[in-house]
Amino acid sequence: MNSYKGLTEEQIAIIRSTGNIRINAVAGSGKTTTIIEYAASRPAGSRILYLAFNKSVRLEATGKFEARGLRNVKVETAHSLAYRHIVYPYGYNVRADSYKTYEIVDLLELSSNGEKHAEYILANHISRFLTFFCNSEKPKVQDLNYMDIIHDDAARGFVGKFYTIIENGVRQILARMDKGAIDITHDFYLKKFQLSDPMLPYDYILFDEGQDASEVMLDVFLKQKATKVIVGDVHQQIYGWRHAINSLERADFKTFHLSASFRFPQDIARLASGILDWKKKLHDLDPVTITGMGSDNKEVSKATIARTNLGLLLKAIEYVTDNRKGQRIYFEGNISSYTYADDGASLYDVLNLQNNQRDRIRDKLIQSMKDMDELEEYIEKTEDVQLSMMAEIVKEYGDEIYGIIKSLKDLHIAGDDKSGADMVFSTVHRAKGMEYDVVYLVDDFITEERLEKLKDLEMAKGRPLHIAKWNEEINLLYVAVTRAKYKLYIPGTLIPKGFPAGKHVVTQTANHANTQAASHVNTSKKPIPPGHTGKSAHLSRLQAARQKPESKKDAYQPWTADLDKELTTMAYTGAPIGTMAEYFGRTKGAVYSRLKKLGYFS
């Protein structure tokens, strides 16, 4: 009989449970240990499947189950399981990645129909719709409304105009992959696996990281006859942009909790709970109890974690230029991945476009652009976040990018052994599942004040609240905070109101540049245009921006008609470029570029 020595009462209750269950486990609460002991306590000879979140977790979990002597546990990812059932029998060839925009243009022989870059914009939306469908539980493309995931006004206008072409393009790609006429994608064979209604030969299925599972895999899981266990943390859902859903909330099973974290001490646990309490501003929320049981550690591993690639790059530049001779750094996910978009375009392609060095542009999509204005128009109509961030970086740093990236690469640890790094740099998405002794947060996460302003703005305009999106932004900060094992350095703007100081939570004050010294726009000859608000209406907000600038949280989000109107009004009333950049959460280069596009300087 197994000994429960060292386990909490919550863990023991799970191990002794029967029937279908769901486990809500806070960060660092020993869920893997609990699942292993749960598997060990099942009847001898039980056939058990453990579904891991990704390949690296699969390899780690395989070793842990084997070390426990549990050779009756099969460890798979959703894709490895589907691969065996679909790819082998059908003899498909699988692509390493998804089809790029220019490849879809060629495959479907798309044309512009007289509208600038329409073929590439169509291909981008066909790709997104294809991903949306393959990750959904729906059996047919027409069962989905692609407009449900399009938010920008320009993008919605384009999609509405060409919806039939986009939908038909998705069907054509699916049909060709199904016939094996073209290589299939990983999303495709997972979708085909779901549509085949598989019945898996297991007595127990353990589904990990359920908060970030896709509908397609949840559908497969719920249809199984096996005893089902789904585990995760409802507050660590951060992949909604990949069409992940919070599967824990959809599994109507008996609920167990793991609320004690062995990773971090109580003051970090208290901070994490305080951040999650922000959700009460949006909707009803059950009390979140997190108990920190971590002990003091030596400050060995250190990491800087940011919300965005841009925020991380800015902090990395600051780090390497701050007279730290001999310091070695490491980027989670490889530093090169921060300079390339999933669609293939690189930071250097965008820079070459800005410099009009077209012969140096390697990406076909960027090659098709006449200038940065055309690229920004494409970004608006496609909501391409990665390209938007690259454009922001290029406008901010220009030719300095070459030297910046070289400096970062020169200091980067060779290979994947990050133990020798003095500082690890990571976005919060790449830090998922990681832990570090000391964590420094970048101030590009959502703040309590920002959340309240966004809510008030939407309510004032009578628009529905973006609750799912804002919840995920809160989750991102929660995940970042809970990567720390011993000490957390956090900007004061990210601290919940009234949060008490603690030994392991160090508040940092951001050093903002003096906006009074920022570059000014020459407004002497510019009258306030009709339809724009005068200076008095914006005075209080301008003063607030000067006194307490917003972080660059939205530096990569598309401009909207309302934001354009507000931007030009502030410019006409004499606001400095720096003040406007901080107020709108953009770089100065982005504000200048937008004003130029809006005809302000003409």
Side-chain angles (χ1 to χ4, degrees):
M1 184 173 178
N2 290 328
S3 170
Y4 296 140
K5 183 178 180 181
L7 299 178
T8 66
E9 291 184 4
E10 289 179 328
Q11 290 175 306
I12 294 171
I14 291 168
I15 294 167
R16 290 176 172 173
S17 69
T18 59
N20 298 335
I21 65 171
R22 61 181 175 186
I23 305 168
N24 192 52
V26 303
S29 58
K31 67 182 176 71
T32 302
T33 298
T34 307
I35 288 299
I36 289 174
E37 293 306 319
Y38 172 91
S41 68
R42 298 309 96 183
S46 295
R47 298 166 300 171
I48 303 174
L49 172 66
Y50 173 83
L51 286 173
F53 182 63
N54 56 33
K55 187 184 296 184
S56 62
V57 175
R58 177 190 178 190
L59 292 173
E60 182 181 0
T62 298
K64 289 182 177 180
F65 279 112
E66 288 180 352
R68 186 66 173 80
L70 298 173
R71 301 191 180 278
N72 60 322
V73 178
K74 181 70 173 178
V75 182
E76 300 274 12
T77 64
H79 283 92
S80 68
L81 190 65
Y83 192 99
R84 188 171 295 107
H85 282 77
I86 299 298
V87 177
Y88 287 152
Y90 286 88
Y92 285 130
N93 292 319
V94 182
R95 288 176 58 91
D97 50 21
S98 299
Y99 281 95
K100 294 178 172 54
T101 300
Y102 70 85
E103 292 176 313
I104 293 176
V105 170
D106 293 340
L107 280 172
L108 300 180
E109 298 180 346
L110 299 173
S111 61
S112 65
N113 293 320
E115 186 161 336
K116 191 185 301 180
H117 304 298
E119 69 272 34
Y120 289 101
I121 301 171
L122 283 169
N124 182 286
H125 284 294
I126 289 169
S127 177
R128 288 181 63 190
F129 196 170
L130 182 65
T131 302
F132 182 35
F133 170 70
C134 286
N135 282 278
S136 76
E137 64 181 357
K138 302 298 184 183
K140 298 179 180 179
V141 174
Q142 59 266 35
D143 293 335
L144 291 172
N145 183 0
Y146 178 55
M147 291 289 281
D148 288 344
I149 64 170
I150 304 299
H151 306 291
D152 180 75
D153 291 339
R156 289 183 66 84
F158 183 91
V159 172
K161 183 178 180 180
F162 296 103
Y163 194 93
T164 300
I165 295 175
I166 294 169
E167 186 177 71
N168 287 338
V170 173
R171 287 202 188 95
Q172 288 182 54
I173 296 289
L174 287 169
R176 292 189 191 184
M177 286 196 288
D178 193 42
K179 294 176 182 177
I182 59 175
D183 291 351
I184 67 171
T185 62
H186 295 285
D187 280 344
F188 174 82
Y189 67 72
L190 183 58
K191 182 64 178 179
K192 191 173 179 71
F193 177 60
Q194 176 237 350
L195 293 177
S196 71
D197 288 325
M199 195 54 59
L200 304 175
Y202 296 98
D203 303 307
Y204 297 87
I205 300 179
L206 317 177
F207 193 1
D208 201 1
E209 296 293 339
Q211 78 282 345
D212 277 319
S214 64
E215 275 189 352
V216 67
M217 197 56 210
L218 178 64
D219 184 64
V220 173
F221 173 71
L222 292 178
K223 288 178 179 177
Q224 301 307 304
K225 294 179 180 179
T227 298
K228 292 175 280 291
V229 176
I230 186 167
V231 59
D233 183 350
V234 294
H235 300 299
Q236 289 196 58
Q237 184 190 15
I238 60 173
Y239 287 100
W241 53 281
R242 286 186 183 174
H243 311 298
I245 59 169
N246 200 328
S247 297
L248 274 82
E249 294 181 344
R250 297 200 186 185
D252 189 19
F253 302 160
K254 183 177 180 180
T255 303
F256 290 83
H257 294 276
L258 291 175
S259 60
S261 176
F262 302 99
R263 177 180 298 164
F264 43 75
Q266 182 58 27
D267 46 357
I268 293 179
R270 192 185 309 117
L271 173 62
S273 297
I275 289 169
L276 293 179
D277 278 345
W278 293 353
K279 295 184 180 183
K280 293 178 180 177
K281 301 176 186 293
L282 306 176
H283 54 76
D284 293 335
L285 179 72
D286 292 334
V288 179
T289 302
I290 305 176
T291 303
M293 299 178 65
S295 58
D296 285 356
N297 299 302
K298 293 181 179 179
E299 298 185 21
V300 179
S301 59
K302 298 180 180 180
T304 294
I305 300 177
R307 164 68 179 85
T308 64
N309 283 355
L310 177 58
L312 190 69
L313 182 62
L314 292 171
K315 189 56 68 174
I317 293 168
E318 177 185 311
Y319 183 86
V320 300
T321 57
D322 192 23
N323 196 29
R324 289 184 168 90
K325 294 182 179 180
Q327 296 280 297
R328 307 297 289 173
I329 64 174
Y330 180 87
F331 276 76
E332 295 284 11
N334 192 309
I335 188 172
S336 296
S337 66
Y338 291 83
T339 61
Y340 280 86
D342 290 342
D343 210 31
S346 78
L347 196 60
Y348 304 111
D349 288 327
V350 179
L351 177 60
N352 289 329
L353 177 65
Q354 175 169 280
N355 291 340
N356 197 29
Q357 295 176 316
R358 310 192 61 80
D359 57 316
R360 296 187 178 184
I361 300 175
R362 301 171 65 181
D363 181 73
K364 285 188 176 182
L365 172 63
I366 305 300
Q367 278 180 345
S368 73
M369 303 293 168
K370 178 182 177 182
D371 51 31
M372 290 293 285
D373 286 343
E374 286 196 1
L375 177 60
E376 289 186 351
E377 184 177 346
Y378 171 86
I379 290 169
E380 286 181 355
K381 290 182 177 179
T382 60
E383 299 181 320
D384 193 317
V385 172
Q386 290 181 320
L387 268 182
S388 185
M389 281 195 288
M390 286 184 177
E392 295 290 346
I393 293 171
V394 165
K395 285 182 285 190
E396 182 75 4
Y397 290 103
D399 289 337
E400 294 178 34
I401 288 172
Y402 293 111
I404 288 169
I405 300 300
K406 183 180 185 303
S407 296
L408 294 176
K409 288 184 175 180
D410 286 346
L411 293 175
H412 199 277
I413 292 287
D416 294 326
D417 184 13
K418 59 186 174 185
S419 62
D422 297 288
M423 180 66 72
V424 174
F425 288 91
S426 180
T427 60
V428 63
H429 286 100
R430 287 186 171 94
K432 183 77 180 291
M434 305 292 183
E435 59 182 24
Y436 312 92
D437 296 321
V438 181
V439 168
Y440 299 82
L441 295 191
V442 179
D443 61 348
D444 61 347
F445 291 86
I446 197 166
T447 66
E448 187 172 10
E449 181 181 2
R450 175 73 169 165
L451 180 67
E452 291 170 346
K453 286 182 178 179
L454 288 170
K455 179 183 176 182
D456 291 344
L457 179 63
E458 295 303 299
M459 292 183 68
K461 294 185 176 182
R463 296 193 298 217
L465 302 182
H466 303 292
I467 291 178
K469 177 182 177 182
W470 296 341
N471 266 337
E472 189 156 315
E473 290 298 328
I474 295 170
N475 290 348
L476 285 163
L477 179 56
Y478 165 74
V479 170
V481 164
T482 55
R483 299 311 93 192
K485 294 172 62 178
Y486 170 63
K487 187 169 287 187
L488 176 72
Y489 291 86
I490 181 170
T493 54
L494 303 181
I495 294 286
K497 296 173 183 176
F499 179 78
K503 173 184 175 182
H504 305 93
V505 178
V506 180
T507 303
Q508 293 182 305
T509 302
N511 294 318
H512 295 290
N514 185 354
T515 57
Q516 298 294 336
S519 300
H520 280 68
V521 178
N522 181 5
T523 62
S524 59
K525 297 181 181 180
K526 292 283 185 178
I528 297 176
H532 285 72
T533 310
K535 185 173 182 177
S536 60
H538 288 274
L539 184 59
S540 61
R541 282 179 287 180
L542 281 169
Q543 290 172 337
R546 291 189 180 106
Q547 293 168 1
K548 192 173 184 180
E550 295 283 352
S551 66
K552 295 178 181 178
K553 156 75 180 63
D554 292 327
Y556 54 89
Q557 297 295 339
W559 289 94
T560 64
D562 287 342
L563 289 177
D564 283 343
K565 184 176 180 180
E566 192 169 13
L567 174 67
T568 51
T569 297
M570 292 177 74
Y572 282 115
T573 54
I577 287 279
T579 298
M580 289 187 286
E582 288 165 344
Y583 175 71
F584 286 101
R586 312 275 174 155
T587 64
K588 288 183 286 186
V591 168
Y592 180 86
S593 177
R594 191 63 182 176
L595 286 171
K596 182 180 178 182
K597 182 174 182 179
L598 293 172
Y600 180 81
F601 297 108
S602 59

